[in-house]
Amino acid sequence: MNFFSELKRRSVYKVAVAYAIVGWLIVQIATQVFPFFEIPNWAVRLVVLVIVIGFPIAIVLAWAFELTPEGIKLTEDVDLPVGKKTKSRVWIYIVIVGAALSLGLFFLARYGFRNAATSPEVPAKSIAVLPFDNLSRDPDNAYFAEGIQDEILTRLSKLADFKVISRTSTQQFKSSPQHLPQIARQLGVMHILEGSVQRAGDQVRVNVQLIKASTDAHLWADSYDRRMTDIFGVESDIAQKVADSLQATLTGPEQHAITARPTENAEAHQLYLKGRFFWNKRTMKDFKTAISYFEQAAKADPKYAVAYAGMADAYVLLPFYGGDAPAALFPKAKEMAMKALALDPNLPEPHATLGLLHASSDFDFPASVRELERAIELDPNYVTAHHWLGLSTLTSLGQLDRAIIEMKRAVELDPLSVIMNSDLGTTYWYARRDKEAVAQSRKTLAMDETAYYAHFGLGQALEASGDLPAAIAEYEKATQLDDDPYPLALLAAAKAKAGQREAALTILKQLETTAKQRYVPDYSFALIHLALGEKDQALQWLESSYQKRQPDVNTMRVDPYLQSLHGDPRFETLAEKVVPERQFTSPVPK
């Protein structure tokens, strides 16, 4: 009892309580506020460690020293009255104020800072696979490091309860970047997978680590030294360990998907990775280079299904990047997609390709829905399938609310993709949600001011909202950034509507000359003639587009530009051939 009385006499209790309250307050500041300012987690741990170590030191000092009017002295040199009760209640106020600040900071962090730093809707099983560093001496092996990243991402994306970000949004980041919490917030994920690849001859070393971005905690890391012939085993093992680390329960098909070996031919696999490397660049020249590599891969292994899927993906997109007309390329895309599915019916990519072809060329929308939904069933994170289902198929059917949902899902899975963000704005435009279309287009241009399709997308939305001069300015910017004939046609049509007939006719002649050298959609000519008041010629061009199976008339029932043709028997007859009225389930407002 004498010892405890001495503790009280020397104010050790007061110091302990005050230290605990102030220490707790500092810990709250460190743990709740530091992440908001992206201060590294080691700083938080250091603060906690210093406070813990400092507690016994504070107690010893309280026992050994006393604060007096003359300054700090040794307690043994101070005559402290026994049993005297101080009237000071300062230490009580310290406790009350400290507790109040701690509670206030807790609730502010819970509903303020933390909500600003991270989204409460980010799922626990969400991941972004960042680009793998190419540590090989030969820079030409960059395709291989990128291919490993792609393959791992593809395996993980087939897990139904995972959210996996598309490579388009991750490619702008380096492997092992700074500010992981900020990157995770941008991508809307909880976890980051990063690594490096080093190749020397037939030997490959892959280093990989899984990180919980919000805490910078390493959940798992490993290193693999394998031969090229066992690279699929490395990819499968990484995908499996990521799934295990995030406590995923895999179904039989999912287990098969992440452990599959699409070919036993290492040469074919290398050629396929080179093809995807060029396909990802998305230019006309690179698509053609990609097709060459895919063809070589299929020749090396005629049963390599993904090689045919790669060819289908390239052929179906080439017309949109200045390649040949759809009539020349779409049949090749369909042939390659069918070959891929004959070898592997569970590949999502050829299902999606067929879905786009059914909507854009065959005008068989029920078949398009089936194929695209099947692609999503096989790969819930396949951005392209969500994109094509929303923009091409559901929009054409007038199911615009669902189309917007699919496009929002595409943006969620590929949040930094300029194309996905721009096409979400286009879907708003089809739905006559002009304010949202303008806002989305401006958001896209904030991401990339040089995106010509975002400029003409903004022009479409501005024209629909009644601001024709501003629309013309955006169309002109688009034509200055790219030689795509479509925005040039929009510019001609807008000038015709603004009373600048001669300017419109000049552009029309320019497009007629261009059409002799490259593919120009007949739909483009229809828009200009319609704006010039030449309805008969406009309808002739639309009919020609349908006969040539061009992918521009599939949205004719919802296209704002064609609104003035509604009710014309010739238009209605053509619309019935493209999208039968019985399939058009949700008419858009006029």
Side-chain angles (χ1 to χ4, degrees):
M1 294 300 297
N2 287 338
F3 172 71
F4 291 111
S5 297
E6 190 66 12
L7 289 177
K8 182 177 180 181
R9 190 177 72 90
R10 294 177 182 237
S11 301
V12 174
Y13 289 144
K14 297 178 182 179
V15 170
V17 172
Y19 186 96
I21 293 296
V22 174
W24 171 255
L25 179 61
I26 294 173
V27 169
Q28 287 295 305
I29 293 174
T31 56
Q32 307 294 349
V33 179
F34 280 21
F36 178 73
F37 293 102
E38 298 179 5
I39 298 174
N41 285 312
W42 63 262
V44 177
R45 291 190 286 270
L46 180 62
V47 168
V48 174
L49 184 62
V50 169
I51 291 173
V52 171
I53 295 174
F55 182 74
I57 296 174
I59 297 301
V60 170
L61 292 176
W63 174 274
F65 296 94
E66 184 71 22
L67 181 63
T68 70
E70 292 80 21
I72 299 176
K73 295 183 178 181
L74 289 171
T75 304
E76 60 188 18
D77 296 335
V78 179
D79 186 18
L80 297 175
V82 179
K84 181 178 179 180
K85 294 185 178 180
T86 178
K87 294 182 181 180
S88 175
R89 295 291 183 268
V90 173
W91 71 278
I92 296 178
Y93 297 144
I94 292 175
V95 171
I96 294 173
V97 172
L101 286 173
S102 296
L103 287 172
L105 188 59
F106 171 79
F107 285 108
L108 180 62
R110 175 66 178 85
Y111 298 106
F113 285 127
R114 191 164 297 279
N115 282 351
T118 58
S119 169
E121 297 179 357
V122 175
K125 296 175 184 176
S126 55
I127 188 169
V129 182
L130 298 190
F132 280 23
D133 279 339
N134 175 31
L135 302 183
S136 306
R137 293 183 179 179
D138 185 356
D140 289 340
N141 281 328
Y143 81 89
F144 185 72
E146 184 175 303
I148 297 296
Q149 176 209 7
D150 260 358
E151 296 276 292
I152 294 171
L153 188 153
T154 298
R155 292 172 189 267
L156 290 173
S157 71
K158 293 177 182 177
L159 305 182
D161 59 346
F162 270 49
K163 175 186 175 184
V164 183
I165 299 300
S166 171
R167 70 175 304 281
T168 309
S169 289
T170 61
Q171 284 307 102
Q172 63 178 276
F173 301 108
K174 296 180 180 179
S175 185
S176 305
Q178 300 295 320
H179 310 304
L180 278 181
Q182 180 181 357
I183 293 173
R185 286 196 298 274
Q186 280 185 269
L187 298 176
V189 296
M190 192 75 71
H191 303 92
I192 299 279
L193 185 73
E194 60 178 19
S196 63
V197 178
Q198 186 173 10
R199 179 184 174 189
D202 193 40
Q203 292 296 126
V204 180
R205 169 172 290 180
V206 180
N207 297 303
V208 66
Q209 55 186 345
L210 179 65
I211 302 168
K212 186 173 182 179
S214 60
T215 61
D216 204 18
H218 288 60
L219 302 181
W220 165 76
D222 210 339
S223 181
Y224 301 85
D225 287 290
R226 304 287 178 86
R227 297 177 67 85
M228 285 290 296
T229 53
D230 195 31
I231 194 63
F232 289 127
V234 173
E235 296 163 358
S236 297
D237 191 56
I238 292 172
Q240 181 68 62
K241 288 187 176 178
V242 169
D244 291 343
S245 298
L246 302 188
Q247 300 179 340
T249 302
L250 305 184
T251 64
E254 289 174 338
Q255 186 68 50
H256 174 75
I258 67 172
T259 59
R261 297 178 65 90
T263 182
E264 298 296 333
N265 188 313
E267 179 190 1
H269 183 55
Q270 295 304 301
L271 291 166
Y272 172 75
L273 293 184
K274 288 181 179 179
R276 278 298 175 190
F277 179 78
F278 285 100
W279 187 90
N280 286 327
K281 295 178 181 292
R282 298 211 177 196
T283 68
M284 180 178 67
K285 179 181 177 182
D286 290 311
F287 275 136
K288 291 181 177 180
T289 302
I291 290 172
S292 175
Y293 279 116
F294 291 143
E295 288 175 342
Q296 294 176 59
K299 184 176 180 180
D301 181 1
K303 296 184 179 180
Y304 195 11
V306 295
Y308 298 104
M311 284 185 263
D313 286 347
Y315 282 127
V316 81
L317 290 179
L318 256 176
F320 303 100
Y321 288 84
D324 292 338
L329 295 174
F330 280 1
K332 294 181 180 179
K334 180 175 288 188
E335 179 187 359
M336 293 301 106
M338 295 300 292
K339 280 189 176 181
L341 290 176
L343 292 167
D344 185 353
N346 293 321
L347 278 182
E349 293 87 356
H351 281 291
T353 298
L354 288 176
L356 179 63
L357 290 170
H358 286 315
S360 302
S361 181
D362 301 337
F363 308 122
D364 185 349
F365 294 98
S368 177
V369 171
R370 286 196 303 271
E371 292 291 348
L372 288 164
E373 288 182 342
R374 177 58 176 159
I376 293 171
E377 180 184 357
L378 292 168
D379 186 348
N381 294 283
Y382 189 29
V383 174
T384 301
H386 291 284
H387 180 202
W388 289 346
L389 178 61
L391 184 66
S392 295
T393 304
L394 296 176
T395 296
S396 299
L397 292 170
Q399 299 179 29
L400 292 162
D401 289 341
R402 187 184 168 197
I404 289 170
I405 290 172
E406 289 296 334
M407 284 306 307
K408 284 183 175 180
R409 178 60 175 165
V411 170
E412 180 186 359
L413 293 172
D414 205 351
L416 304 184
S417 167
V418 179
I419 292 176
M420 297 302 158
N421 278 277
S422 179
D423 282 350
L424 173 57
T426 300
T427 311
Y428 282 132
W429 172 71
Y430 277 122
R432 311 301 200 270
R433 292 163 63 169
D434 300 330
K435 290 183 179 179
E436 291 166 281
V438 170
Q440 182 63 34
S441 296
R442 293 195 188 282
K443 175 186 174 183
T444 305
L445 287 170
M447 298 168 62
D448 184 0
E449 180 64 28
T450 67
Y452 81 95
Y453 39 85
H455 278 291
F456 76 69
L458 176 57
Q460 290 176 321
L462 290 170
E463 182 177 341
S465 62
D467 192 347
L468 188 58
I472 290 175
E474 293 299 328
Y475 296 149
E476 288 176 335
K477 289 178 184 177
T479 60
Q480 293 164 7
L481 290 167
D482 195 271
D483 62 355
D484 186 338
Y486 180 65
L488 195 59
L490 295 180
L491 177 60
K495 284 183 177 292
K497 295 170 189 175
Q500 302 174 37
R501 185 178 182 85
E502 290 304 317
L505 289 172
T506 299
I507 296 175
L508 177 59
K509 291 179 180 179
Q510 180 182 342
L511 283 174
E512 289 171 346
T513 302
T514 302
K516 297 175 182 178
Q517 302 166 351
R518 60 170 290 182
Y519 168 63
V520 177
D522 289 359
Y523 172 81
S524 299
F525 294 108
L527 291 185
I528 300 174
H529 284 291
L530 184 60
L532 289 168
E534 299 165 354
K535 183 183 290 189
D536 291 343
Q537 288 175 272
L539 286 166
Q540 289 172 11
W541 280 108
L542 290 176
E543 179 66 37
S544 174
S545 180
Y546 168 74
Q547 294 298 334
K548 294 176 182 177
R549 293 295 192 264
Q550 294 179 353
D552 306 287
V553 293
N554 60 342
T555 56
M556 63 184 300
R557 284 192 181 273
V558 296
D559 190 335
Y561 289 135
L562 305 182
Q563 188 65 50
S564 63
L565 293 175
H566 286 232
D568 187 299
R570 294 167 295 176
F571 177 84
E572 298 300 338
T573 298
L574 178 59
E576 185 65 23
K577 290 189 287 187
V578 176
V579 187
E581 190 172 0
R582 67 180 184 279
Q583 296 176 8
F584 191 72
T585 56
S586 179
V588 296
K590 296 183 179 180

